[in-house]
Amino acid sequence: GNGVDLPLAANIAMPAAKPGLRLLFVGRLDPHHKGLDLLIEACALASHRLRVARASIAVHGPSIAGSAQALQRLAHERGLDDLLRVKGPVYGEDKARAYAAVDLFLHTSRFEGHPMAVLEALSYGLPCLLTPGTNMADEVVAAGAGWRAEPTPQGIAGALVAAVEARQRRLRVEHLDGVDQVGLHELVQRGLAQVAAHRVERVGDVDDPALVVDPLARLPRRRPFRDALGHVQADDVHALRRLHFLPHD
C-alpha cells in the first residue's frame, strides 16, 4: 500500500472557509483511466448548480499524447469554459498550495490501485468525491469524509450536487466570533460524534503507522483532534470548519 507524509498544520486546507466552491483533480490526464471524460460530462449536467455555488474546477496533471488539449476542447464544447480549466502538473510546494486552496477533491477513475492523490488530499483535510474505481470510496464515505459516485456522468453529477447542497446546509462560519461558546462546543461535539463510530484507523496496507491517513485527524498535530471527544476544545474553529462541510445522515 501507499502512504504519505502529513503536511504541517499551518498548511492544512480550510474547506468552506471562503465564498465559492473550489474543486480540484490532481493526476495524469488520462481521460479513460482517470474518468476525466466522465467528470467533464458530469460538470455539464450539474453546471447550473455549480454556477449558483460559484464553483471552479481545476484539473492538474501531465498531458498524455495531447490529452490536455482534448479535455479542454471537450469542456469548451460542453460550455464549461467559465467552470473548468485543464492545467499543467503541479509538484512540491505548488502542489501543496493547490491542495490547501480548495474545498473538495475529485477523483473519478474507472480503475486504480491505491491512488496517492486521494491519500494526499485526505492528509490536507479535504473532503473527497470518489468513484468505486479508486478503491477508496467506501472507506472515505464510512469515515464521513466525502461522497461516493457511480462511474457515470449522471452518478458523478448527482454527487457534485450533493456536495453543493451539503455546503449550503452547513452552518456559516464567517462570523464565529459572535457564536456562544457553549453552543459552539455542543456543535463540535455533535459533529464529531456523527462520524466517530466510523473512524478509519488505516487506509490500505501501510507498514508505518506514522503514515496512516486518518480522515478525522484534520489537524494531526493539534491536540483537540487527537484527544477523546470530551477533550475537544470549544474554540477549535478549525475543527468546526471541517465538520460543517462534510456529509452526514
Side-chain angles (χ1 to χ4, degrees):
N2 292 322
V4 297
D5 293 323
L6 295 174
L8 296 174
N11 297 332
I12 294 293
M14 296 295 291
K18 297 179 181 179
L21 183 62
R22 290 154 293 277
L23 299 87
L24 175 70
F25 167 85
V26 173
R28 290 185 298 110
L29 300 185
D30 185 325
H32 181 76
H33 179 187
K34 301 297 184 180
L36 296 173
D37 56 334
L38 303 176
L39 176 60
I40 290 174
E41 298 291 358
C43 289
L45 292 175
S47 59
H48 174 70
R49 298 298 298 273
L50 291 170
R51 288 188 175 97
V52 170
R54 296 163 59 187
S56 61
I57 303 126
V59 175
H60 282 283
S63 183
I64 300 173
S67 60
Q69 293 80 3
L71 289 167
Q72 192 63 65
R73 184 164 56 251
L74 178 60
H76 174 73
E77 291 170 356
R78 298 297 183 267
L80 300 176
D81 287 341
D82 61 322
L83 286 176
L84 187 148
R85 299 300 300 172
V86 179
K87 304 182 179 183
V90 285
Y91 304 106
E93 292 184 1
D94 289 336
K95 183 162 67 169
R97 282 191 289 268
Y99 283 127
V102 300
D103 302 301
L104 179 64
F105 186 74
L106 307 170
H107 209 78
T108 55
S109 290
R110 287 181 169 90
F111 54 91
E112 288 286 351
H114 193 199
M116 286 290 296
V118 176
L119 295 177
E120 290 172 347
L122 289 170
S123 77
Y124 277 85
L126 286 173
C128 294
L129 188 158
L130 308 175
T131 51
T134 63
N135 287 321
M136 294 181 64
D138 290 340
E139 289 82 1
V140 164
V141 170
W147 292 265
R148 181 184 187 274
E150 290 304 312
T152 65
Q154 295 78 10
I156 297 166
L160 287 169
V161 170
V164 169
E165 291 177 346
R167 168 70 178 275
Q168 293 171 342
R169 285 197 304 267
R170 289 300 175 272
L171 174 68
R172 298 297 179 182
V173 295
E174 287 85 355
H175 305 291
L176 277 177
D177 289 345
V179 175
D180 174 75
Q181 288 299 299
V182 174
L184 176 58
H185 177 69
E186 292 175 351
L187 182 58
V188 171
Q189 297 279 18
R190 186 164 63 250
L192 282 170
Q194 287 173 357
V195 295
H198 301 293
R199 183 167 185 155
V200 171
E201 298 298 337
R202 297 178 65 83
V203 177
D205 299 321
V206 182
D207 294 330
D208 183 357
L211 299 181
V212 172
V213 177
D214 179 349
L216 293 184
R218 302 297 176 186
L219 294 175
R221 293 176 176 81
R222 287 172 59 89
R223 286 190 60 81
F225 263 108
R226 281 312 196 189
D227 289 347
L229 292 181
H231 298 122
V232 173
Q233 300 300 309
D235 60 352
D236 190 355
V237 175
H238 297 292
L240 183 58
R241 282 199 172 107
R242 280 158 185 77
L243 291 169
H244 94 283
F245 184 59
L246 295 178
H248 64 81
D249 295 331

